[in-house]
């Protein structure tokens, strides 16, 4: 430090500067300053450098010279606890309050070196004499044994383990449960009070579907985190950043909701989210509120309240715009005043009205899907025969329907484009990847399977190396679902099952198993189908009988029962699912149930009994933007006509 801050007048008496020009002296001091900054900010080690390691590092930085002998001399001068105490007083004299000090040997108190010296001074003032004596003994041992190393300070240890925990969180998707636990245990061995370790365990157990253990770790994490905040407030009573820290309680409840959502316990997740929303509103926490509302909208959609879900998502987008307007107004007001000072209210607005681009982008993606799936409630069974193609003279009606389809599709793609624009603006690469996958899903629903495959493949080409494993797995599953070669499709799905672990939020595992069940069922492998169906059923808890996933899986179960010759049981299950689907705005789900019912009646030789379901299908098909689903419905209607002996009408329909 003395060599670093020496004035030009004092340098002549210092051996390191004896034969140097002023430029060489400045270069020497610059290298030494970089070394000190690196040492002060380095948290990569759990032990301080030994004296020999310090000498080797100084030599590698070309600042060894006479600096190291001078350092050894100063250490030797600390011959007693009193000498150590005098050294601390000398350090305190180095500080100045402003940058305009007339003494070049002084350090501005808010600089990197100034903050370090202030920490040393404060620690000295709070130190009892016996602790000072222990420090003196350690310094003596440090000189006597040049290879001895000592643990870093608790603060440095906390920083080190925090950085390790952040790095481990990014690696968790690629680790097995045992590997993850081993890494977490090694962190706790270094820092038993590390609260992030319990959150990592929560993630680890979530990935491996250990519900009870994940719930326990989540509770432990927030217990330890609360204790951590209390300790920080006790140690830094006048630190505004600690006093104004965000209340962790609403985030504890929000994470509890995410846990329940990941395991498809939608009722419990909704209860937790309502509590998180209430707490966020009381605390004016815009960030937590937006996260909770987007997740709550998703749960509403899964449980049938799709219209309410769309309303919530639009409110999220509006709230984001309002928060951005408040922030801009505060910044403009501060700029107009010219002094740069802000009131407590203005600082609170900037802290709690921050943009949440990740959730805003997700809200637009969900709106895109909900727009496609919502029921227009304009179906008229008296004209539905025309809409599906029974009357070839209805060209005007067809043109109107085509325009409606385009409008719905354009609105959905417009939401995807907005999501992508937000992701680019705020540099959210993972959200850009999700936008590509959503676009692929939209084209698949509309019926352009080539474009759907293109967008999924584009995601893999651009983002596979950088994005999370669940999203990459979902892209592979999407490509498999579009592959007409059943053998190749099965190979892709089996590779996904081997190489990617289950993840509760992405849904790729459920989608993959559904495709495998459908393929096995279509190929008549009933034993294999039943085995895979049991695995799939485990992902849809019986307590959530009104969830979308539950209904989709139960449709597959009815088809399996039908193949096993249990037509009556399959019919009862489908009728109960139809009653549930009637309460929803998700017309795709209702169409799938109706298609299964019509297929069941055709197989059992009861085409007349299927007519009410056919008429209902035709009503739902009006203004339907999904060409592939329209084709399925027309083929099904043609099968009913053939069963009723109306072969010519069936031929006309299929030709259309």
């Amino acid at each position: 430090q003395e060599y670093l801050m020496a004035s030009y007048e004092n340098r002549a008496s210092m051996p390191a500067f004896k034969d140097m020009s002023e430029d060489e002296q400045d270069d020497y001091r610059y290298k030494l300053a970089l070394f000190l900054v690196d040492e002060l900010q380095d948290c990569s080690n759990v032990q301080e450098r030994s004296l020999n390691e310090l000498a080797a590092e100084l030599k590698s930085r070309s600042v060894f010279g006479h600096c190291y002998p001078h350092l050894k001399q100063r250490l030797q001068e600390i011959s007693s606890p009193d000498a150590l105490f005098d050294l601390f007083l000398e350090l305190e004299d180095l500080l100045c309050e402003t940058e305009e000090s007339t003494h070049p040997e002084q350090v501005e108190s808010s600089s990197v070196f100034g903050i370090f010296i202030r920490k040393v001074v404060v620690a000295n003032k709070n130190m009892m004499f016996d602790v000072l004596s222990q420090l003196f003994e350690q310094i003596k041992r440090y000189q006597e044994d040049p290879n001895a190393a000592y643990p870093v300070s608790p603060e440095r240890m906390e920083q080190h383990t925090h950085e390790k925990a952040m790095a481990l969180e990014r690696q968790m998707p690629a680790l097995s449960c045992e590997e993850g636990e081993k890494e977490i245990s090694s962190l706790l061995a270094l820092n038993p009070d590390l609260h992030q370790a319990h959150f990592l365990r929560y993630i680890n157990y979530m990935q491996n579907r250990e519900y009870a253990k994940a719930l326990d770790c989540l509770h432990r994490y927030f217990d330890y985190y609360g204790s951590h905040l209390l300790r920080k407030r006790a140690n830094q009573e006048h630190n505004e950043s600690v006093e104004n820290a965000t209340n962790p309680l609403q985030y504890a409840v929000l994470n509890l909701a995410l846990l329940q959502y990941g395991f498809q316990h939608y009722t419990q997740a909704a209860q937790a989210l309502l509590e998180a929303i209430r707490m966020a509103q009381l605390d004016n926490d815009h960030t937590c509120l937006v996260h909770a509302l987007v997740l709550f909208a998703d749960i509403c959609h899964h449980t049938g309240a799709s219209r309410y879900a769309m309303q919530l998502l639009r409110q999220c987008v509006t709230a984001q715009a309002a928060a951005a307007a408040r922030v801009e107004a505060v910044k403009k007001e501060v700029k107009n005043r010219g002094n740069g000072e802000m009131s407590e209210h203005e600082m609170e607005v900037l802290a709690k009205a921050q943009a949440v681009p990740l959730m805003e982008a997700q809200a637009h993606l969900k709106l895109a899907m909900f727009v496609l799936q919502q029921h227009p409630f304009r179906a008229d069974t008296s004209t539905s025969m025309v809409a599906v193609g029974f009357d070839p003279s209805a060209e005007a009606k067809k043109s109107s329907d085509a325009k409606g389809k385009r409008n719905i599709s354009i609105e959905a793609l417009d939401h995807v484009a907005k999501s992508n624009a937000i992701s680019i603006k705020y540099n959210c690469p993972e959200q850009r990847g999700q936008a590509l996958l959503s676009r692929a899903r939209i084209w698949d629903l509309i019926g352009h399977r080539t474009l759907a495959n293109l967008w999924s493949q584009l995601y893999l080409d651009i983002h596979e190396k950088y994005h999370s494993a669940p999203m990459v797995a979902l892209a592979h599953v999407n490509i498999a679902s579009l592959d007409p070669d059943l053998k190749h499709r099965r190979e892709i799905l089996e590779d996904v099952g081997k190489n990617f672990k289950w993840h509760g939020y992405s849904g790729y595992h459920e989608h993959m198993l559904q495709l495998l069940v459908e393929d096995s069922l279509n190929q008549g492998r009933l034993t294999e189908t039943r085995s895979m169906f049991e695995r799939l059923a485990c992902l849809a808890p019986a307590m959530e009988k009104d969830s979308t996933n539950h209904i989709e899986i139960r449709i597959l179960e009815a088809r399996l029962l039908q193949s096993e010759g249990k037509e009556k049981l399959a019919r009862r299950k489908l009728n109960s699912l139809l009653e549930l689907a009637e309460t929803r705005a998700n017309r795709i789900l209702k169409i799938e149930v109706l298609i299964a019912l019509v297929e069941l009646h055709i197989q059992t030789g009861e085409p007349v009994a299927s007519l009410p379901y056919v008429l209902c299908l035709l009503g739902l098909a009006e203004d339907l933007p999904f060409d592939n689903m329209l084709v399925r419905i027309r083929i099904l209607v043609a099968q009913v006509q053939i069963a009723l002996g109306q072969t010519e009408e069936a031929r006309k329909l299929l030709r259309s």
Side-chain angles (χ1 to χ4, degrees), residues 233-251:
R233 286 175 176 147
N235 295 333
Q236 306 176 31
E237 292 181 0
H238 303 293
N239 190 329
E240 290 184 4
S241 65
V242 176
E243 292 174 2
N244 297 329
T246 304
N247 184 357
L249 291 179
Q250 60 256 35
Y251 289 95

Side-chain angles (χ1 to χ4, degrees), residues 17-173:
F17 298 132
K18 185 176 181 181
D19 301 320
M20 292 185 184
S21 66
E22 289 189 3
D23 289 341
E24 289 173 333
Q25 292 175 12
D26 288 338
D27 182 62
Y28 188 94
R29 294 169 71 234
Y30 175 71
K31 291 177 180 177
L32 183 59
L34 289 180
F35 168 74
L36 287 172
V37 169
D38 288 344
E39 285 297 297
L40 295 181
Q41 297 181 343
D42 180 35
C43 297
S44 60
N45 297 312
V46 295
Q47 288 187 321
E48 300 284 5
R49 296 181 192 275
S50 67
L51 203 54
N52 283 344
E53 289 174 340
L54 180 60
E57 184 64 24
L58 285 169
K59 189 176 291 184
S60 69
R61 299 288 187 105
S62 303
V63 292
F64 185 77
H66 295 279
C67 182
Y68 179 69
H70 183 69
L71 172 64
K72 288 192 69 174
Q73 179 186 341
R74 288 304 307 267
L75 286 172
Q76 290 169 0
E77 290 174 1
I78 305 174
S79 57
S80 67
D82 288 339
L84 179 59
F85 186 78
D86 291 340
L87 174 62
F88 287 136
L89 295 180
E90 290 179 31
L91 286 174
E92 188 172 1
D93 292 338
L94 292 174
L95 293 172
C96 67
E97 293 301 323
T98 65
E99 296 180 357
E100 299 176 356
S101 171
T102 57
H103 302 285
E105 290 88 352
Q106 286 190 310
V107 181
E108 202 272 312
S109 59
S110 62
S111 67
V112 174
F113 298 135
I115 291 172
F116 173 71
I117 293 173
R118 283 161 55 196
K119 287 182 178 180
V120 173
V121 171
V122 170
N124 174 52
K125 289 183 176 180
N126 294 332
M127 195 184 300
M128 303 295 288
F129 183 76
D130 60 334
V131 179
L132 185 69
S133 299
Q134 291 175 17
L135 179 58
F136 169 72
E137 292 297 330
Q138 286 184 334
I139 290 174
K140 297 300 289 183
R141 288 197 298 271
Y142 187 71
Q143 298 177 69
E144 293 167 358
D145 185 0
N147 293 314
Y150 294 90
V152 297
S153 66
E155 183 183 50
R156 289 275 292 275
M157 179 63 77
E158 186 173 338
Q159 289 178 327
H160 171 76
T161 51
H162 173 73
E163 290 179 2
K164 294 275 285 183
M166 296 294 288
L168 180 57
E169 184 176 351
R170 292 189 290 270
Q171 299 170 8
M172 288 301 289

Side-chain angles (χ1 to χ4, degrees), residues 170-182:
R170 292 189 290 270
Q171 299 170 8
M172 288 301 289
L175 299 178
S176 67
C177 187
E178 293 76 17
E179 291 170 339
E181 181 59 32
K182 183 179 179 181

